[in-house]
Amino acid sequence: MKILDIGEVAAQSGVPPSTLRYYEEQGLIAPIGRKGLRRQYGPQTLLRLTLISMGKAAGFSLPEIVRMLGADGRPDLPRDELHARADDLGRQIRRLQLLQDTLRHVADCPAPSHLDCPSFQKLMRQAERTAARGGKHATR
Amino acid sequence: MKILDIGEVAAQSGVPPSTLRYYEEQGLIAPIGRKGLRRQYGPQTLLRLTLISMGKAAGFSLPEIVRMLGADGRPDLPRDELHARADDLGRQIRRLQLLQDTLRHVADCPAPSHLDCPSFQKLMRQAERTAARGGKHATR
DNA sequence: GCTTGACCTCAAGTTGGCTTGAATTCGCAG
DNA sequence: CTGCGAATTCAAGCCAACTTGAGGTCAAGC
């Protein structure tokens, strides 16, 4: 149960073969070797795919993810860059929580217009504060 | 300070005019009226733009956001759909937290290979559990 | 009353992230 | 061996979300 071919990786990860090949092209993953033409993957690939999917969910681009995970096995970014990314994520998480609260609020609040509702207004004030429509990560 | 033209909205929100017009086309926002040809926006538009940007950050598509926010002012989705979205967000938030922890871990952990590090492994086990390589939201 | 600059429309172009298809190549069960 | 199903490459296509450009309009300051 150590070596997987592309079909097995696809089955276990839910990521289609075409995408796996594409990810390889982009430097996100690499097979451990080939048997004839066929790619052979080690199990760490599944881990990497999990991380990649989390990174995408966080809104990072594939190139950004490459840099965070490293071409080899380990990150390409200096410690503090990684912490900076983590800090970004923290802000991002707070925004999502706010959106979550807002969704629950509009689901439940009976006020005719939310613009009148004090608790909605409070959410919006917080939202504005976190707005930080941030520049993307420095590419250099 | 009640009515804004497109340039002011752009300046205050950081969203370029071209995007504002595009959002209008997609039913995400609407001007309160026109002066001649020029769009005139009310201040609630800024609020809506904040919500839209949060929705995008959460990975919702523009059509999904339209349904969550409603074409008019209020949501188009039934209470329980909204709660379902909020639940999705909760899962999403947990994944981001996990990624955040992972980033901090790889930034700080001195282990030669993270595959050996027990705390890394713990993170990865959690990650697999939340993997929930989810189908997108039901469109119906 | 003219100029000017911010706005308008509409069509076409761009980018990222994949998918699809045609034409092969191969490993392995029978 | 033979055959077949799963993999391969490579180019082209697709979709969402915008951006750009050409050509036109208009309100406001001088």
Side-chain angles (χ1 to χ4, degrees), chain B residues 67-81:
Chain B
R67 304 191 68 217
M68 295 191 315
L69 301 185
D72 51 339
R74 286 324 121 191
D76 201 16
L77 289 177
R79 217 180 287 295
D80 51 336
E81 278 271 13

Side-chain angles (χ1 to χ4, degrees), chain A residues 53 57 79 87 95 107 114, chain B residues 53 74 79 92 95 104 107:
Chain A
S53 112
R79 219 179 285 296
D87 292 346
R95 300 187 77 209
H114 296 283
Chain B
S53 111
R74 286 324 121 191
R79 217 180 287 295
Q92 167 74 343
R95 301 188 77 209
R104 296 217 196 274

Side-chain angles (χ1 to χ4, degrees), chain B residues 32-53:
Chain B
I32 196 91
R34 296 258 186 153
K35 175 153 49 174
L37 277 189
R38 302 182 178 194
R39 293 163 174 84
Q40 305 295 122
Y41 295 93
Q44 344 79 292
T45 298
L46 294 172
L47 221 67
R48 260 183 100 79
L49 287 172
T50 302
L51 290 171
I52 290 167
S53 111

Side-chain angles (χ1 to χ4, degrees), chain A residues 96-122:
Chain A
L96 295 198
Q97 268 160 353
L98 214 46
L99 179 57
Q100 189 182 30
D101 292 348
T102 304
L103 282 183
R104 296 219 196 275
H105 173 86
V106 305
D108 295 334
C109 176
S113 164
H114 296 283
L115 300 168
D116 305 337
C117 173
S119 88
F120 183 79
Q121 304 206 333
K122 189 171 162 203

Side-chain angles (χ1 to χ4, degrees), chain B residues 57-74:
Chain B
F60 294 108
S61 68
L62 298 188
E64 279 168 341
I65 295 174
V66 173
R67 304 191 68 217
M68 295 191 315
L69 301 185
D72 51 339
R74 286 324 121 191

